[in-house]
């Protein structure tokens, strides 16, 4: 009975299956959680900066107080880090997910269209559907490069937003500067999700000073290793940020997240060492996977690799790996039934994955 009272748009949304934790998988298969290797959610295998952990300890007893609504110290550090000169063009969020929610809520009214390439991060579609928008999906070609001509051609009168994820989850590919500029030149607002940008050879955050229709999303969940704290941010024109600030939830970046993220930004040597190690390990894993028969890893600029299984059913392989304590992501939810996505872990984690992957491929 109560279900009839629920917003029908919510009923239309498919359940988002978040990655299982080590503990859940250990319970499910009677394994020791300490032996389970999780390479499924593109987390940082090396953890956060020790300075961020120190900041969390230092402020832990002050969580009885609300944090600053517009975290000035953090915003100033982010504007230095991103070289976005004006702090009025940065907005914090409870993860990039929340900033995404705010941007889509800000723009989308029932009947509006959102152009996006596929496959990509599924949360964009959930939010667009929730606010009454319609997704116009543009398929990426077999090499998962960005179909910018088709994206620009798909922009019509009803288009309110174009979403670009670069490096793209799950493919690891990046958009070219000329492709992005052509999309921006259409005049439509472009939300560019750069969650994995620290692992890539290029960032387009600097284009915000040139294009007032560009909104860039960034996060501390990936390269900074702070996924458990939930802190992300948006960089955009003063006008867009000003309007977005009106509708964001109050105090949305929690105290410990503010302090830890600020401390992490003061320890960029740590960030750079983590990024460099991850890139070396990404290359090694890429080569090892491609030395096997019947599978293909794609070049990636994120901290993960998309892997195609030519002959095997990806869901069955993911489930066999899980039973042996290795968690990777099935890409069925991205519309790729023959693919899995593997996060680049620490060396011993990647080796454990490779050993078990060979066993389950048979
Ligand atoms: C492309 C992309 N954007 C955003 C997010 C979410 O970021 P956050 O943890 O900051 O909410 C993810 C998380 O996996 C992601 O893959």
């Amino acid at each position: 009975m109560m279900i009839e009272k629920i917003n029908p748009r919510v009923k239309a949304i498919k359940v988002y299956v978040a990655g299982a934790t080590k503990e859940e998988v250990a319970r499910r298969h009677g394994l020791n959680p300490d032996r389970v290797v999780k390479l499924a959610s593109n987390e940082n295998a090396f953890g956060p900066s020790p300075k961020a952990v120190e900041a969390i300890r230092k402020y832990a007893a002050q969580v009885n107080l609300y944090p600053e609504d517009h975290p000035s110290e953090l915003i100033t550090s982010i504007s230095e880090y991103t070289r976005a000169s004006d702090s009025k063009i940065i907005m914090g969020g409870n993860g990039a997910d929340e900033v995404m929610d705010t941007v889509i809520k800000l723009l989308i009214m029932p009947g509006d269209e959102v152009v996006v390439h596929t496959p990509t991060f599924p949360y964009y579609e959930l939010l667009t559907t929730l606010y009454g928008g319609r997704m116009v999906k543009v398929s990426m070609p077999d090499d998962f490069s960005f179909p910018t001509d088709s994206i620009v051609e798909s922009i019509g009168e009803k288009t309110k937003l174009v979403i670009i994820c670069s490096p793209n989850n799950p493919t690891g590919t990046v958009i070219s500067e000329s492709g992005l500029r052509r999309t921006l030149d259409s005049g439509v607002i472009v939300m560019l999700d750069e969650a994995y940008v620290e692992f890539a050879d290029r960032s387009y955050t600097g284009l915000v000073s040139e294009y007032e229709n560009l909104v860039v999303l960034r996060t501390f969940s990936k390269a900074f290793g702070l996924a458990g704290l939930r802190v992300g941010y948006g960089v955009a024109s003063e006008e867009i940020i000003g309007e977005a600030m009106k509708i964001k939830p109050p105090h949305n970046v929690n105290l410990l997240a503010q302090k830890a993220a600020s401390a992490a930004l003061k320890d960029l040597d740590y960030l750079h060492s983590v990024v460099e190690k991850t890139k070396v390990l990404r290359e090694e894993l890429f080569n090892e996977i491609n030395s096997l028969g019947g599978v293909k890893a794609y070049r990636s600029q994120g901290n993960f690799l998309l892997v195609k299984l030519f002959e095997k059913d990806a869901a069955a392989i993911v489930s066999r790996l899980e039973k042996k304590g290795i968690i990777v992501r099935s890409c069925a939810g991205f519309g790729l039934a023959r693919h899995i996505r593997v996060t680049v872990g620490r060396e011993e984690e990647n080796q454990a994955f490779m050993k078990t992957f060979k066993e389950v491929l048979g």
Side-chain angles (χ1 to χ4, degrees), residues 230-246:
R230 317 297 302 121
V231 50
Y233 55 97
V235 186
S237 67
E238 192 177 339
E239 204 181 349
I240 292 180
I241 295 294
E243 293 303 302
M245 292 290 290
K246 290 191 199 161

mmCIF file of all heavy atoms in Angstrom, residues 230-246:
data_model
loop_
_atom_site.group_PDB
_atom_site.id
_atom_site.type_symbol
_atom_site.label_atom_id
_atom_site.label_comp_id
_atom_site.label_asym_id
_atom_site.label_seq_id
_atom_site.Cartn_x
_atom_site.Cartn_y
_atom_site.Cartn_z
ATOM 1 N N ARG A 230 34.567 10.445 2.848
ATOM 2 C CA ARG A 230 33.622 11.073 1.923
ATOM 3 C C ARG A 230 33.892 12.565 1.780
ATOM 4 O O ARG A 230 33.281 13.389 2.462
ATOM 5 C CB ARG A 230 32.146 10.845 2.377
ATOM 6 C CG ARG A 230 31.812 9.465 2.861
ATOM 7 C CD ARG A 230 31.986 8.414 1.776
ATOM 8 N NE ARG A 230 31.168 8.709 0.623
ATOM 9 C CZ ARG A 230 31.688 8.886 -0.595
ATOM 10 N NH1 ARG A 230 32.985 8.764 -0.815
ATOM 11 N NH2 ARG A 230 30.896 9.138 -1.608
ATOM 12 N N VAL A 231 34.836 12.910 0.945
ATOM 13 C CA VAL A 231 35.035 14.331 0.650
ATOM 14 C C VAL A 231 35.433 14.526 -0.809
ATOM 15 O O VAL A 231 36.354 13.895 -1.316
ATOM 16 C CB VAL A 231 35.996 15.017 1.664
ATOM 17 C CG1 VAL A 231 37.266 14.273 1.871
ATOM 18 C CG2 VAL A 231 36.304 16.459 1.302
ATOM 19 N N GLY A 232 34.628 15.352 -1.467
ATOM 20 C CA GLY A 232 34.866 15.660 -2.872
ATOM 21 C C GLY A 232 34.641 17.152 -3.069
ATOM 22 O O GLY A 232 34.287 17.864 -2.120
ATOM 23 N N TYR A 233 34.830 17.629 -4.299
ATOM 24 C CA TYR A 233 34.596 19.056 -4.542
ATOM 25 C C TYR A 233 34.274 19.309 -6.002
ATOM 26 O O TYR A 233 34.549 18.478 -6.870
ATOM 27 C CB TYR A 233 35.776 19.914 -4.081
ATOM 28 C CG TYR A 233 37.135 19.561 -4.658
ATOM 29 C CD1 TYR A 233 37.660 20.243 -5.755
ATOM 30 C CD2 TYR A 233 37.890 18.531 -4.108
ATOM 31 C CE1 TYR A 233 38.911 19.928 -6.269
ATOM 32 C CE2 TYR A 233 39.147 18.201 -4.624
ATOM 33 C CZ TYR A 233 39.647 18.895 -5.703
ATOM 34 O OH TYR A 233 40.869 18.567 -6.212
ATOM 35 N N GLY A 234 33.689 20.472 -6.218
ATOM 36 C CA GLY A 234 33.371 20.900 -7.574
ATOM 37 C C GLY A 234 34.109 22.191 -7.855
ATOM 38 O O GLY A 234 34.267 23.030 -6.957
ATOM 39 N N VAL A 235 34.587 22.344 -9.076
ATOM 40 C CA VAL A 235 35.236 23.594 -9.503
ATOM 41 C C VAL A 235 34.431 24.095 -10.700
ATOM 42 O O VAL A 235 34.230 23.342 -11.668
ATOM 43 C CB VAL A 235 36.713 23.340 -9.928
ATOM 44 C CG1 VAL A 235 37.415 24.665 -10.236
ATOM 45 C CG2 VAL A 235 37.489 22.578 -8.858
ATOM 46 N N ALA A 236 33.946 25.325 -10.618
ATOM 47 C CA ALA A 236 33.117 25.877 -11.709
ATOM 48 C C ALA A 236 33.098 27.391 -11.599
ATOM 49 O O ALA A 236 33.715 27.958 -10.697
ATOM 50 C CB ALA A 236 31.694 25.322 -11.603
ATOM 51 N N SER A 237 32.372 28.040 -12.480
ATOM 52 C CA SER A 237 32.304 29.502 -12.446
ATOM 53 C C SER A 237 31.653 29.951 -11.132
ATOM 54 O O SER A 237 30.899 29.212 -10.500
ATOM 55 C CB SER A 237 31.463 30.002 -13.623
ATOM 56 O OG SER A 237 30.125 29.585 -13.436
ATOM 57 N N GLU A 238 31.953 31.183 -10.769
ATOM 58 C CA GLU A 238 31.415 31.742 -9.523
ATOM 59 C C GLU A 238 29.886 31.701 -9.525
ATOM 60 O O GLU A 238 29.241 31.436 -8.516
ATOM 61 C CB GLU A 238 31.926 33.188 -9.407
ATOM 62 C CG GLU A 238 31.701 33.773 -8.061
ATOM 63 C CD GLU A 238 32.274 35.181 -7.938
ATOM 64 O OE1 GLU A 238 33.160 35.562 -8.727
ATOM 65 O OE2 GLU A 238 31.819 35.892 -7.041
ATOM 66 N N GLU A 239 29.312 31.939 -10.700
ATOM 67 C CA GLU A 239 27.851 31.965 -10.824
ATOM 68 C C GLU A 239 27.247 30.582 -10.510
ATOM 69 O O GLU A 239 26.306 30.461 -9.724
ATOM 70 C CB GLU A 239 27.532 32.356 -12.267
ATOM 71 C CG GLU A 239 26.186 32.971 -12.439
ATOM 72 C CD GLU A 239 25.934 33.315 -13.909
ATOM 73 O OE1 GLU A 239 26.883 33.252 -14.726
ATOM 74 O OE2 GLU A 239 24.783 33.621 -14.219
ATOM 75 N N ILE A 240 27.827 29.534 -11.124
ATOM 76 C CA ILE A 240 27.283 28.182 -10.893
ATOM 77 C C ILE A 240 27.489 27.774 -9.436
ATOM 78 O O ILE A 240 26.572 27.274 -8.775
ATOM 79 C CB ILE A 240 27.938 27.144 -11.848
ATOM 80 C CG1 ILE A 240 27.506 27.426 -13.289
ATOM 81 C CG2 ILE A 240 27.574 25.705 -11.439
ATOM 82 C CD1 ILE A 240 28.075 26.480 -14.333
ATOM 83 N N ILE A 241 28.699 28.001 -8.910
ATOM 84 C CA ILE A 241 28.962 27.613 -7.515
ATOM 85 C C ILE A 241 28.026 28.378 -6.575
ATOM 86 O O ILE A 241 27.458 27.811 -5.643
ATOM 87 C CB ILE A 241 30.453 27.848 -7.126
ATOM 88 C CG1 ILE A 241 31.379 26.939 -7.949
ATOM 89 C CG2 ILE A 241 30.680 27.639 -5.617
ATOM 90 C CD1 ILE A 241 31.281 25.455 -7.714
ATOM 91 N N GLY A 242 27.820 29.664 -6.857
ATOM 92 C CA GLY A 242 26.935 30.481 -6.008
ATOM 93 C C GLY A 242 25.539 29.880 -5.930
ATOM 94 O O GLY A 242 24.949 29.778 -4.853
ATOM 95 N N GLU A 243 24.993 29.459 -7.065
ATOM 96 C CA GLU A 243 23.645 28.867 -7.080
ATOM 97 C C GLU A 243 23.659 27.490 -6.402
ATOM 98 O O GLU A 243 22.758 27.150 -5.644
ATOM 99 C CB GLU A 243 23.124 28.739 -8.524
ATOM 100 C CG GLU A 243 22.861 30.071 -9.207
ATOM 101 C CD GLU A 243 21.877 30.957 -8.442
ATOM 102 O OE1 GLU A 243 20.737 30.527 -8.194
ATOM 103 O OE2 GLU A 243 22.261 32.094 -8.085
ATOM 104 N N ALA A 244 24.706 26.708 -6.669
ATOM 105 C CA ALA A 244 24.795 25.350 -6.089
ATOM 106 C C ALA A 244 24.877 25.428 -4.562
ATOM 107 O O ALA A 244 24.279 24.603 -3.853
ATOM 108 C CB ALA A 244 26.015 24.626 -6.660
ATOM 109 N N MET A 245 25.588 26.439 -4.064
ATOM 110 C CA MET A 245 25.735 26.580 -2.605
ATOM 111 C C MET A 245 24.388 26.794 -1.912
ATOM 112 O O MET A 245 24.216 26.453 -0.755
ATOM 113 C CB MET A 245 26.657 27.772 -2.282
ATOM 114 C CG MET A 245 28.096 27.571 -2.680
ATOM 115 S SD MET A 245 28.926 26.367 -1.670
ATOM 116 C CE MET A 245 29.021 27.270 -0.154
ATOM 117 N N LYS A 246 23.411 27.361 -2.659
ATOM 118 C CA LYS A 246 22.095 27.602 -2.062
ATOM 119 C C LYS A 246 21.376 26.300 -1.726
ATOM 120 O O LYS A 246 20.550 26.254 -0.830
ATOM 121 C CB LYS A 246 21.208 28.371 -3.065
ATOM 122 C CG LYS A 246 21.589 29.782 -3.325
ATOM 123 C CD LYS A 246 20.413 30.373 -4.119
ATOM 124 C CE LYS A 246 20.743 31.603 -4.871
ATOM 125 N NZ LYS A 246 19.763 31.880 -5.945
#
